[in-house]
């Protein structure tokens, strides 16, 4: 009887070890505490999306990211795309999400903040944020501009100094 159970226990231990060692590190990073975050509101007053821009400590330095939360029925959303731009220094990212079949209404994206590496060179105290968000729902395409908020340079300096 023990000869039959021992191989099953060994196989279960190998599978558990593989799952532990091959975890996606971004999943762990997503639960880390953020250094700074700010909610961005629509310039037109539309409330289909809640948008939060954030700074966090990543594996290779500071990360900049965005949380998008769709407030309407997520199953009806066909696709969306967004562009985040920062005016000075000119920087940002573009995401086109075309597969929304399993979309639960929340999308998080973050990447290494390359312009954060040398915040002392910034001429402004605050970096203006602008987001262009376009989505398709029920065959109708809608777009909004979100902005009017800034990233304080002091927060970038704090993140860079504390992360080293």
């Amino acid at each position: 009887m023990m000869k039959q159970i021992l191989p099953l226990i060994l196989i279960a231990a190998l599978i558990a070890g593989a799952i532990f060692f091959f975890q996606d590190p971004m999943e762990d990073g997503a639960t880390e505490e953020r250094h700074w975050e700010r909610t961005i509101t629509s310039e037109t007053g539309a409330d289909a999306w809640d948008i939060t821009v954030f700074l966090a400590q990543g594996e290779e330095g500071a990360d900049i990211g965005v949380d998008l939360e769709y407030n309407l029925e997520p199953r009806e959303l066909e696709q969306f795309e967004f562009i985040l731009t920062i005016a000075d220094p000119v920087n940002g990212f573009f995401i086109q999400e075309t597969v929304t079949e399993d979309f639960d209404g929340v999308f998080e994206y973050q990447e290494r903040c390359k312009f954060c590496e040398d915040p002392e060179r910034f001429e402004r105290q605050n970096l203006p944020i602008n987001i262009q968000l376009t989505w398709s729902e029920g065959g109708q395409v809608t777009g909004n501009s979100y902005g009017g908020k800034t990233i304080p340079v002091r927060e970038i300096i704090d993140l860079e100094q504390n992360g080293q």
Side-chain angles (χ1 to χ4, degrees):
M1 179 78 170
M2 191 64 165
K3 289 182 182 181
Q4 295 172 344
I5 295 176
L6 189 59
L8 293 175
I9 293 172
L10 182 61
I11 290 171
L14 287 173
I15 291 172
I19 290 172
F20 177 76
F21 285 112
F22 293 112
Q23 287 183 18
D24 184 8
M26 289 304 287
E27 291 178 9
D28 294 337
T31 60
E32 290 180 9
E33 187 174 323
R34 295 178 178 167
H35 176 76
W36 172 89
E37 65 182 23
R38 173 156 292 157
T39 301
I40 308 295
T41 56
S42 170
E43 295 171 358
T44 62
D47 60 354
W49 295 88
D50 290 333
I51 300 174
T52 303
V53 175
F54 61 88
L55 296 171
Q57 186 60 43
E59 291 181 17
E60 298 179 17
D63 281 356
I64 184 167
V66 64
D67 282 339
L68 303 173
E69 184 173 348
Y70 189 59
N71 293 325
L72 304 177
E73 181 59 48
R75 291 179 299 203
E76 296 178 12
L77 184 69
E78 296 162 358
Q79 63 183 15
F80 66 92
E81 65 182 30
F82 74 92
I83 303 170
L84 180 137
T85 55
I86 297 166
D88 185 26
V90 176
N91 210 304
F93 45 81
F94 167 77
I95 299 295
Q96 181 177 16
E97 184 67 27
T98 56
V99 179
T100 57
E101 292 172 4
D102 297 327
F103 185 62
D104 65 356
V106 178
F107 178 79
E108 180 180 327
Y109 177 80
Q110 72 185 62
E111 68 179 34
R112 188 165 166 253
C113 182
K114 296 176 186 125
F115 69 89
C116 293
E117 294 173 353
D118 189 16
E120 299 290 341
R121 68 182 174 86
F122 298 154
E123 295 178 10
R124 299 178 177 201
Q125 293 300 312
N126 296 300
L127 305 178
I129 301 167
N130 187 42
I131 294 176
Q132 297 294 325
L133 182 58
T134 306
W135 66 97
S136 175
E137 176 185 21
Q140 182 178 354
V141 177
T142 307
N144 265 331
S145 177
Y146 301 81
K149 300 289 185 174
T150 59
I151 299 175
V153 171
R154 64 176 154 49
E155 295 295 341
I156 296 173
I157 293 171
D158 289 347
L159 179 59
E160 283 295 311
Q161 289 175 348
N162 293 334
Q164 295 177 356

